[in-house]
Amino acid sequence: MSVKSIVETRRSVRQYDSSYKISWEVLTSLIESATKSPNGNNIQATRYLIIDDPSLKELLLPIAYNQQQVVDASHLIVMLGDYQAFERENIIEINEEAYQAGYLDESLKNILVNNAINYYENQSREELKLELTRDVSLASMSLVLLANEAGFETITMSGYDSKKLKEALNISERYLDVMLIAIGKGTEEGHSTVRHKVEKVMFKNKMD
Ligand SMILES: Cc1cc2nc3c(=O)[nH]c(=O)nc-3n(C[C@H](O)[C@H](O)[C@H](O)COP(=O)(O)O)c2cc1C
């Protein structure tokens, strides 16, 4: 299926076959592809916490306001951003790896390292949160499209109590939870949804 047809036919699916389990190998392969998504300065801050333990899913059900897909979908993925990715050690390590692989020469490596360190070092926690939100959201969309291409259904979710979810899963303040993604075999199609006409959302050179 083309990207265009996946984008145009994908729906958020809320009913899942609770007996269907995606294999760990398939899930790993989807996530490995999603890691190729664009991300700021290639600091690779996105983390994927996979939940498949039935007791954890039950624990999360009320935290996600009893949205049944939390327990019925094969896996629930907590899409996280890692604030530690902004640290200079990570920036140096990633660019060193690219240098060792022959993708950068030494001078470009040094430029990229310095640019990234300078870019992040004076940002507030709120600004870094936006950086993480951008990166994790792009990876999330990739994962949704990849999952659909592989014949699965998904739903992205922000309908949960962030504080309670982090407590329940022992997620420290090092991480920003951006969204949940439920993935599995749908049993009912997602309902059709409307979109604005393109003329309403598309602007040329200036906003009205
Ligand atoms: C960031 C985000 C959070 C969402 N959270 C929820 C949610 O908690 N529960 C839910 O039923 N749908 C949720 N949705 C799904 C949207 O309702 C859905 O994408 C929208 O209605 C358009 O429908 P479609 O995805 O089927 O095209 C969320 C979507 C996004 C992008």
Side-chain angles (χ1 to χ4, degrees), residues 110-190:
N110 292 334
I111 290 169
L112 293 177
V113 166
N114 289 329
N115 285 352
I117 290 172
N118 292 338
Y119 180 72
Y120 295 121
E121 74 183 352
N122 293 318
Q123 291 202 28
S124 65
R125 184 86 170 175
E126 203 54 31
E127 288 167 327
L128 293 176
K129 182 175 175 181
L130 180 56
E131 296 285 349
L132 289 180
T133 306
R134 290 182 180 122
D135 288 358
V136 175
S137 297
L138 284 169
S140 298
M141 190 67 229
S142 297
L143 186 54
V144 164
L145 297 179
L146 288 158
N148 276 265
E149 184 193 47
F152 304 118
E153 280 75 38
T154 58
I155 182 163
T156 48
M157 301 166 63
S158 58
Y160 63 93
D161 184 317
S162 166
K163 193 164 176 286
K164 288 185 183 161
L165 177 120
K166 289 179 89 170
E167 273 167 18
L169 298 174
N170 274 320
I171 299 171
S172 74
E173 289 310 302
R174 170 177 166 180
Y175 301 102
L176 173 72
D177 55 302
V178 176
M179 69 182 82
L180 305 176
I181 301 178
I183 175 171
K185 271 283 174 206
T187 54
E188 285 178 39
E189 283 188 9

Side-chain angles (χ1 to χ4, degrees), residues 22 24 27-28 31 47-53 56-57 74-80 143 169 181 183:
I22 300 173
W24 192 255
L27 199 59
T28 304
I31 290 176
R47 304 289 178 263
Y48 309 77
L49 174 59
I50 316 297
I51 308 292
D52 69 348
D53 179 339
L56 276 182
K57 287 167 147 191
S74 170
H75 293 79
L76 188 69
I77 306 175
V78 188
M79 297 294 298
L80 300 164
L143 186 54
L169 298 174
I181 301 178
I183 175 171

Side-chain angles (χ1 to χ4, degrees), residues 17 32 72 78 122 201 203:
D17 176 353
E32 188 172 28
D72 288 347
V78 188
N122 293 318
V201 297
F203 300 85

Side-chain angles (χ1 to χ4, degrees), residues 10-12 14 67 69 155-160 179 191 193 195:
R10 178 214 56 82
R11 295 275 175 277
S12 292
R14 296 173 177 82
Q67 299 194 70
Q69 61 265 25
I155 182 163
T156 48
M157 301 166 63
S158 58
Y160 63 93
M179 69 182 82
H191 59 78
T193 53
R195 290 296 189 271

